């Protein structure tokens, strides 16, 4: 069965990017010529996804507006003979893609949403017993040659009848404490392997591997049963990783597919990451990249 549904959590507060993110969703920050969320959408569409649910909140209406048809603007551009390639690019309906929106509620008495696990749990009726992709709305996967990371994940997930397939990237030992780190089964190839555990932020001197969970997942619908039984963290959050650990404990096949050379995960959670990501994408712009490179050279001389 071809996987055509994706869930994109975008309901976080984006506190590390304040004050910009007070009124602008972090997922709407421009990276090169597109807001982050549109890079994510294009990645999903390239991998065959056609139904995309955004789990958002009342502060994120700009995402909904951005992906709206806005047919009068399209007509205006067409009549003005703007470059048609540019115009058709935003005709998602014409490309057979549907967007859906739901909201992650903040429970009474809480000040923030209850984590990515809680956001994914809000997608149960949309998913309706099918396998589906989860893509964090603040992370872009820069791609290299050949099939994309998500295409490889989908092929692996289906080929192994997995319950969950996680994207992983190799991170330096001294940074493992910032990530969920997977433990591959012995003797499995590192690029696409079964995993036997997932540790949340291990100490660098105690880490079983350097493969960090990386913002893209494929799940079977059984993850919702696990999400319902996860014990919330001391701060009340429901972690997606805890549901994955429960799948492993229940003997389900959980796998990891590694980012290849030439692929890069951009997790745009703080200003340093945002500046660097913007520069990478602006420098890669076919038309304006060389101009920016010359400008930066001049500034740094
Ligand atoms: P992050 O934890 O990186 O984003 O979540 P955040 O919570 O917005 O960031 P800070 O820590 O306050 O700066 C990764 C993705 O998951 C979404 C976020 O919007 C982001 O796209 N998310 C996070 C939810 O949808 N719900 C949540 O409860 C938490």
């Amino acid at each position: 069965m071809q996987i055509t549904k994706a869930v994109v959590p975008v309901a976080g507060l984006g506190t590390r990017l304040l004050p910009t993110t007070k009124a602008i969703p972090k997922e709407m920050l421009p990276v090169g010529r597109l807001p982050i969320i549109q890079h994510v959408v294009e990645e999903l569409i390239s991998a065959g996804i056609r139904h995309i649910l955004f789990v958002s909140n009342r502060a994120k209406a700009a995402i909904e507006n951005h992906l709206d048809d806005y047919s009068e603007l399209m007509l205006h551009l067409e009549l003005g003979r703007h470059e048609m390639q540019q115009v058709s690019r935003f005709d998602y309906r014409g490309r057979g893609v549907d967007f859906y929106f739901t909201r992650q509620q903040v429970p009474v008495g809480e000040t923030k949403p209850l984590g990515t696990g809680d956001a994914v749990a809000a997608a149960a009726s949309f998913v309706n017993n099918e396998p589906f992709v989860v893509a964090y709305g603040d992370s872009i996967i820069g791609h290299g040659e050949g099939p994309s990371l998500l295409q490889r994940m989908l092929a692996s997930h289906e080929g192994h009848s997995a319950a969950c397939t996680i994207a992983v990237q190799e991170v330096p030992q001294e940074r493992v404490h910032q990530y969920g780190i997977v433990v591959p089964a012995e003797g499995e190839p590192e690029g696409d392997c079964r995993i036997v555990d997932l540790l949340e932020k291990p100490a660098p001197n105690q880490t079983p591997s350097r493969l960090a969970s990386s913002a893209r997942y494929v799940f079977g619908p059984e993850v919702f049963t696990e999400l319902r039984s996860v014990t919330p963290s001391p701060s009340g959050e429901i972690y997606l990783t805890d549901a994955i650990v429960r799948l492993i404990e229940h003997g389900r096949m959980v796998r990891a597919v590694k980012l290849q050379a030439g692929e890069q995960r951009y997790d745009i959670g703080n200003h340093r990451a945002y500046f660097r990501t913007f520069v990478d994408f602006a420098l890669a712009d076919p038309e304006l990249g060389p101009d920016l490179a010359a400008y930066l050279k001049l500034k740094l001389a």
Side-chain angles (χ1 to χ4, degrees):
M1 172 191 201
Q2 210 205 332
I3 299 179
T4 59
K5 288 183 178 175
V7 176
V8 182
V10 292
L13 296 184
T15 49
R16 288 166 295 158
L17 281 158
L18 282 169
T20 308
T21 47
K22 188 158 173 256
I24 302 170
K26 94 171 139 180
E27 296 82 4
M28 282 302 295
L29 295 182
V31 159
R33 292 185 187 227
L34 300 177
I36 296 167
I37 199 67
Q38 202 166 349
H39 287 283
V40 176
V41 163
E42 290 294 336
E43 177 198 341
L44 292 171
I45 295 173
S46 303
I49 298 298
R50 293 294 175 266
H51 305 281
I52 305 176
L53 173 75
F54 297 88
V55 183
S56 91
N57 64 33
R58 70 164 68 81
K60 305 268 178 154
I63 296 175
E64 200 168 331
N65 288 339
H66 183 75
L67 297 169
D68 190 11
D69 280 357
Y70 204 172
S71 51
E72 66 272 32
L73 174 66
M74 304 277 271
L75 189 63
H76 172 73
L77 294 176
E78 278 170 33
L79 293 177
R81 297 203 174 77
H82 287 74
E83 216 189 293
M84 283 312 295
Q85 217 187 345
Q86 283 286 77
V87 177
S88 61
R89 193 162 180 198
F90 302 113
D91 180 14
Y92 285 111
R93 194 159 299 186
R95 292 164 72 188
V97 180
D98 286 317
F99 299 121
Y100 308 78
F101 299 88
T102 190
R103 289 187 172 182
Q104 183 182 9
Q105 301 299 336
V106 177
V108 176
E110 298 288 340
T111 56
K112 58 178 180 53
L114 294 187
T116 47
D118 186 54
V120 172
S125 60
F126 164 79
V127 164
N128 192 25
N129 259 342
E130 291 176 29
F132 65 104
V133 167
V134 169
Y136 287 172
D138 65 347
S139 289
I140 301 174
I141 307 290
H143 52 81
E145 300 288 307
S148 70
L149 171 72
L150 195 53
Q151 285 169 333
R152 299 198 308 280
M153 289 174 70
L154 289 166
S156 170
H157 188 86
E158 290 171 288
H160 293 96
S161 304
C164 167
T165 303
I166 307 174
V168 291
Q169 66 173 342
E170 201 163 285
V171 296
Q173 181 113 0
E174 63 276 12
R175 286 179 46 210
V176 292
H177 65 285
Q178 299 168 357
Y179 297 96
I181 298 292
V182 305
V183 184
E186 247 173 68
E188 293 265 320
E190 205 187 54
D192 181 347
C193 57
R194 192 165 72 80
I195 65 166
V196 293
D197 207 353
L198 174 57
L199 306 177
E200 200 46 55
K201 305 183 172 143
N205 58 0
Q206 285 172 358
T207 190
S209 89
R210 294 194 288 119
L211 296 176
S213 163
S214 294
R216 299 290 183 268
Y217 306 83
V218 188
F219 285 108
E222 55 271 57
V223 71
F224 293 110
T225 313
E226 305 301 350
L227 279 169
R228 282 192 282 272
S229 340
V230 162
T231 313
S233 73
S235 62
E237 279 186 81
I238 312 279
Y239 295 127
L240 196 52
T241 47
D242 286 345
I244 298 171
V245 170
R246 290 180 64 90
L247 286 170
I248 298 172
E249 284 169 359
H250 288 150
R252 308 307 304 258
M253 169 73 82
V254 177
R255 304 189 62 85
V257 171
K258 193 177 153 193
L259 271 78
Q260 291 177 343
E263 285 173 337
Q264 188 169 346
R265 175 201 179 183
Y266 295 93
D267 172 4
I268 305 145
N270 56 42
H271 286 101
R272 175 201 286 256
Y274 176 59
F275 291 170
R276 289 182 174 198
T277 307
F278 189 94
V279 167
D280 272 16
F281 277 77
L283 284 173
D285 188 281
E287 192 189 331
L288 295 176
D291 177 74
L292 177 65
Y295 178 69
L296 289 177
K297 258 193 209 137
L298 201 70
K299 292 296 275 186
L300 296 173

